Amino acid sequence: MIILGLTGSIGMGKSTLAAMFRARGIAVFDADAEVHRLYEGAAVPMIEAAFRGTTARGTDGTARVDRGKLAAALAVDSSGFTRLEAIVHPLVQAEERAFLETQASRAAPIAVLEIPLLYETGLNKKVDAVVVASASPENQRQRVLARGGMTEARLAGLLARQVPDIEKRQRADFVVDTNRSLGECEAAVDAIIEALKGASATAYDHHWR
């Protein structure tokens, strides 16, 4: 089974490409979605212990991380990102492992890990190939600022903690330019799948078993 890492900076079109892989019958693990689940479950008590006052109970009585309060806490303590990552990353990687085990048991030829911080966390070393979604800075900015609650300052902070797009492109096995039309992106995904047929698949045995 080939493990394909899908990454790219914020607003570059990772989710769009992930949907295209899913439409072709290829399972995709969404690391961001898993973080959202953890913020409403297993990570809550650990984050509250590390960042007091950043969790709250919803109307249903369930405790969850208040992302606004957590963001505010991190804004005044940049070292907090390291503590947060030490809590969240192992939990996410445990779910990634379970996902890959399931796909291997189904004899899936390809499994995709959609991980925004693939290079930043070193997980590019644990996949067989990497696809980077990329777009122009202008399109990236327009897409991100259209999201609710996003500001120029927050975008700058996020980009400062990510490997620059140009470096990701240089290190990738495949780059999909999402400035292009959806049809052209679909064709690029098809070309990647075709290129992976018969490719070496060693990451699962070496890193995930």
Side-chain angles (χ1 to χ4, degrees), residues 72-193:
L74 293 172
V76 298
D77 178 15
S78 60
S79 67
F81 284 101
T82 300
R83 286 184 285 135
L84 180 63
E85 289 167 358
I87 293 169
V88 174
H89 288 177
L91 295 173
V92 173
Q93 287 187 37
E95 293 302 319
E96 288 166 349
R97 186 182 302 276
F99 164 80
L100 292 172
E101 289 173 350
T102 297
Q103 297 310 309
S105 71
R106 296 173 178 171
I110 301 172
V112 176
L113 297 179
E114 181 190 353
I115 306 175
L117 300 179
L118 185 79
Y119 287 114
E120 292 83 351
T121 57
L123 285 177
N124 58 298
K125 300 173 183 176
K126 297 185 178 182
V127 299
D128 294 298
V130 175
V131 178
V132 165
S134 183
S136 68
E138 295 78 16
N139 278 345
Q140 178 188 35
R141 179 178 174 277
Q142 182 178 6
R143 292 170 183 174
V144 176
L145 293 179
R147 300 178 184 181
M150 186 58 68
T151 64
E152 293 273 10
R154 188 177 175 197
L155 173 57
L158 289 169
L159 291 177
R161 294 191 299 274
Q162 296 184 351
V163 171
D165 178 58
I166 188 170
E167 182 178 340
K168 288 176 180 170
R169 292 172 67 100
Q170 291 169 345
R171 297 171 66 180
D173 297 286
F174 305 97
V175 177
V176 179
D177 181 356
T178 63
N179 294 307
R180 302 166 70 186
S181 69
L182 285 177
E184 289 172 310
C185 291
E186 297 261 10
V189 168
D190 287 333
I192 291 168
I193 295 170

Side-chain angles (χ1 to χ4, degrees), residues 23-47:
R24 287 152 176 77
I26 297 172
V28 179
F29 179 91
D30 183 340
D32 265 357
E34 182 58 32
V35 171
H36 281 280
R37 285 190 287 271
L38 290 170
Y39 277 13
E40 297 182 355
V44 174
M46 290 180 279
I47 290 176

